[in-house]
Amino acid sequence: MRKKSLRLTISLRFALIVLAVIALISVVSNVLINRQFEGYVARQQKLEADRIAQNVSSQYDSDAEGWNVDYIHGMGMYASEDGFFMKLYDRDGNVLWDAENHEMRLYNDTIWSINLLQKEVSPGCKGEWETSRYDLEHAGAVVGYLDVKYYQACSCCMNENEFQFLEALNRILAVIAAISLVGAVLMGMLLSNSIVKPISRVVETTQKISGGEYNTRIQENVQTRELNELTSAVNQMAGSLAEQEVLRKRLTSDVAHELRTPVANISSYIEMMIDGALEPSPDRLQSCYDELQRLSGLISDLERLRQVENEDLTLEKTDVDLRKLAQAALRNFESQLREKNLDGRISGDTSVVPADRDRIMQVVTNLLSNAIKYSSEGGFVQVTVKDTKDSGVICVEDNGIGIAEEDLGRIFERFYRTDKSRNRKTGGAGVGLTIVKAIVQAHKGTVTVESEVGRGSKFVVTLPKRTEAM
Ligand code: ADP
């Protein structure tokens, strides 16, 4: 099924809301106005009945001690024409004049027109006959009684004026509904434009990114916070994909570069030995062996990286004494320290943390190896172990070449090597610190670095004592 566009959906929802609001307003206003009319009409009818009673009571002839029936007949006729039917009794309750008898035709006509109105307008609803009784008094004494009967229409059987008013109101509401509907659709389109445009840009950009155009970015500055976050998230994603792409390409060229020299050296040696140009002396064979060692070191680096980056890093945790571990690691570098005339020192507390001993050994080994690699002759390599309430800390510090500020944020990335280290042909593939970071993170710990070019570097690894709670 073809999906509805966002623009259409928003416009339709807007129109729907407007329709619902107008419908609600019209229902509520109709009901309220009906009620008002009902009350108003009832009050008017009662006032009219009161006025009739007032007029009738003035027709008592005190001299004759009787009612002026001729006048009353005239009054009764007029009242009947207005829908008020009188019934006059003398003080003993005898009927003196009754509209139902005298104005039979008018009475029936009124009933007929009321019935017609009900049938046509609102078949379901009925008004009711209301009779108001008045005690007619003269000189303080009751001289008779008057019943005034009139039809009290319910709100749904209103007279023509009332209908016209409501009809006009409903017409106005219909016009308002039509105008607001058009307005709502236009507003919906306008509003949706500001949402749809950036979303379309996001879709377009992500499609380009998925097609490999990692340098595409969304330039527009969007005012809505969430949309702004969306566009910057896409830009960030494109940025990190571009970076990954650069790293991937660099990996290929790095690996090729790393392989080329040893392979070329070995081939030329062996070629010459086959040709008889060179004797296969132990020195030459040792050279070939060294180159092969470099190659196998690179392969193990890549293998280790694959392991930690594929997240199949299973930790076999035991209680590890970080100070003892650091001591053992430093001992392994004794000959290299001596070679470079470096002062290897260890200080600090005993700190026991739950950790995978071999992996943490790898961490300290990588840090020490870098500290030695990037130190100038006669420097020092200092390992300090600290114990805190929640964690064990290992610092590996040197006073070597240091790292430039712009490189600090990137040295933990795969295959990232600063130009300086590249020039020095240190031989590392730029994965040592990536492995360090992955192992430390698997232990829910942190690794940070402080460094200054020419003054040295300090790597701080913090390992938590309770990893479960984290
Ligand atoms: P590499 O195999 O090149 O040593 P790493 O991942 O271990 O790779 O280190 C990445 C880069 O960080 C190194 O190439 C080097 O430039 C820099 N670096 C790491 N440790 C140090 C240090 N102690 N002193 C100076 N630079 C360092």
Side-chain angles (χ1 to χ4, degrees):
M1 201 178 78
R2 213 177 129 75
K3 295 256 188 309
K4 265 198 287 255
S5 75
L6 187 61
R7 197 172 281 139
L8 184 66
T9 312
I10 293 180
S11 300
L12 281 181
R13 300 252 160 106
F14 255 67
L16 218 74
I17 293 171
V18 166
L19 273 184
V21 171
I22 300 262
L24 189 74
I25 291 175
S26 84
V27 168
V28 171
S29 58
N30 272 278
V31 168
L32 286 182
I33 288 169
N34 274 343
R35 287 243 175 95
Q36 287 292 321
F37 266 122
E38 207 175 43
Y40 171 75
V41 169
R43 278 196 301 279
Q44 289 301 314
Q45 282 179 320
K46 183 77 177 70
L47 280 176
E48 183 60 18
D50 291 351
R51 198 185 58 76
I52 291 170
Q54 185 80 39
N55 285 347
V56 169
S57 77
S58 69
Q59 294 308 318
Y60 184 72
D61 188 344
S62 53
D63 295 337
E65 290 203 351
W67 291 91
N68 199 339
V69 178
D70 284 346
Y71 273 107
I72 286 169
H73 176 70
M75 285 165 66
M77 254 170 57
Y78 281 122
S80 300
E81 272 168 19
D82 290 340
F84 292 85
F85 301 98
M86 288 168 26
K87 198 172 191 175
L88 180 67
Y89 304 86
D90 66 10
R91 67 164 68 84
D92 302 322
N94 302 314
V95 176
L96 294 178
W97 193 86
D98 185 356
E100 269 183 57
N101 294 335
H102 289 83
E103 299 299 330
M104 188 84 87
R105 191 188 52 79
L106 256 178
Y107 183 75
N108 287 337
D109 276 0
T110 308
I111 304 260
W112 182 80
S113 64
I114 285 168
N115 282 341
L116 188 76
L117 197 68
Q118 271 181 11
K119 242 183 252 160
E120 276 183 2
V121 181
S122 41
C125 85
K126 282 197 171 68
E128 50 190 37
W129 286 97
E130 176 77 29
T131 305
S132 299
R133 163 154 288 226
Y134 298 91
D135 293 346
L136 305 176
E137 288 179 11
H138 190 81
V142 175
V143 290
Y145 305 98
L146 179 72
D147 282 347
V148 182
K149 188 175 171 187
Y150 51 92
Y151 190 76
Q152 208 168 44
C154 73
S155 61
C156 38
C157 359
M158 290 171 299
N159 70 30
E160 214 167 305
N161 284 343
E162 294 152 12
F163 269 120
Q164 272 172 4
F165 176 80
L166 268 194
E167 249 175 51
L169 175 81
N170 287 335
R171 232 175 288 130
I172 290 170
L173 282 174
V175 172
I176 292 177
I179 294 172
S180 338
L181 216 63
V182 175
V185 172
L186 288 178
M187 271 290 287
M189 282 181 154
L190 220 74
L191 193 90
S192 56
N193 248 0
S194 63
I195 302 172
V196 169
K197 253 199 188 154
I199 292 184
S200 307
R201 280 292 289 144
V202 167
V203 172
E204 210 177 286
T205 311
T206 44
Q207 274 167 352
K208 279 189 186 161
I209 292 169
S210 69
E213 291 178 46
Y214 300 128
N215 289 324
T216 317
R217 296 286 183 282
I218 302 169
Q219 305 294 353
E220 284 106 316
N221 198 8
V222 190
Q223 298 305 322
T224 321
R225 197 183 66 221
E226 286 80 357
L227 289 174
N228 204 28
E229 280 168 6
L230 177 69
T231 50
S232 28
V234 170
N235 281 346
Q236 266 170 21
M237 182 190 74
S240 63
L241 281 174
E243 249 169 52
Q244 290 301 315
E245 180 65 1
V246 169
L247 286 177
R248 196 180 59 79
K249 285 186 181 151
R250 206 161 66 199
L251 161 69
T252 323
S253 70
D254 279 355
V255 171
H257 180 259
E258 298 296 328
L259 294 177
R260 194 180 307 120
T261 324
V263 170
N265 286 348
I266 297 167
S267 323
S268 65
Y269 263 130
I270 292 179
E271 228 176 80
M272 285 197 276
M273 285 181 208
I274 293 171
D275 291 349
L278 279 181
E279 283 292 310
S281 69
D283 276 359
R284 284 168 193 144
L285 288 174
Q286 182 64 46
S287 274
C288 288
Y289 180 71
D290 289 346
E291 295 293 14
L292 281 172
Q293 281 300 98
R294 275 190 62 187
L295 278 179
S296 101
L298 176 65
I299 292 165
S300 350
D301 267 358
L302 292 174
E303 179 58 27
R304 263 199 290 274
L305 183 66
R306 186 199 62 79
Q307 259 188 24
V308 293
E309 290 209 323
N310 279 358
E311 289 171 10
D312 54 2
L313 192 63
T314 41
L315 299 176
E316 282 170 26
K317 284 189 186 169
T318 52
D319 282 345
V320 178
D321 182 335
L322 294 181
R323 199 188 144 100
K324 274 193 191 152
L325 180 138
Q327 239 157 3
L330 197 62
R331 219 175 294 124
N332 291 341
F333 283 97
E334 248 167 28
S335 65
Q336 289 174 42
L337 286 165
R338 211 175 302 127
E339 250 172 51
K340 272 186 115 171
N341 192 24
L342 293 172
D343 183 10
R345 314 174 202 150
I346 183 146
S347 66
D349 327 315
T350 294
S351 179
V352 179
V353 295
D356 185 323
R357 194 179 185 286
D358 291 348
R359 302 285 184 190
I360 298 301
M361 188 61 151
Q362 174 84 61
V363 167
V364 181
T365 302
N366 286 7
L367 293 178
L368 279 174
S369 148
N370 281 347
I372 295 168
K373 245 192 304 192
Y374 303 112
S375 280
S376 320
E377 294 228 356
F380 72 83
V381 173
Q382 168 82 45
V383 184
T384 316
V385 177
K386 273 185 242 160
D387 187 53
T388 71
K389 192 169 140 269
D390 302 316
S391 49
V393 183
I394 310 175
C395 302
V396 179
E397 200 175 344
D398 64 67
N399 62 345
I401 61 167
I403 305 163
E405 210 179 321
E406 65 267 23
D407 292 320
L408 274 181
R410 308 197 56 190
I411 52 170
F412 291 99
E413 286 174 13
R414 271 181 298 169
F415 305 107
Y416 190 82
R417 297 189 302 184
T418 64
D419 281 342
K420 266 195 191 127
S421 65
R422 217 175 271 275
N423 290 340
R424 289 165 70 96
K425 291 205 182 336
T426 47
V431 297
L433 289 180
T434 317
I435 292 172
V436 166
K437 192 169 183 187
I439 293 176
V440 172
Q441 278 181 344
H443 283 81
K444 307 263 188 283
T446 56
V447 52
T448 56
V449 57
E450 288 164 31
S451 187
E452 210 179 307
V453 175
R455 308 203 85 178
S457 315
K458 180 178 176 184
F459 287 82
V460 181
V461 173
T462 308
L463 297 169
K465 287 187 175 166
R466 277 197 312 273
T467 46
E468 307 78 32
M470 297 180 82

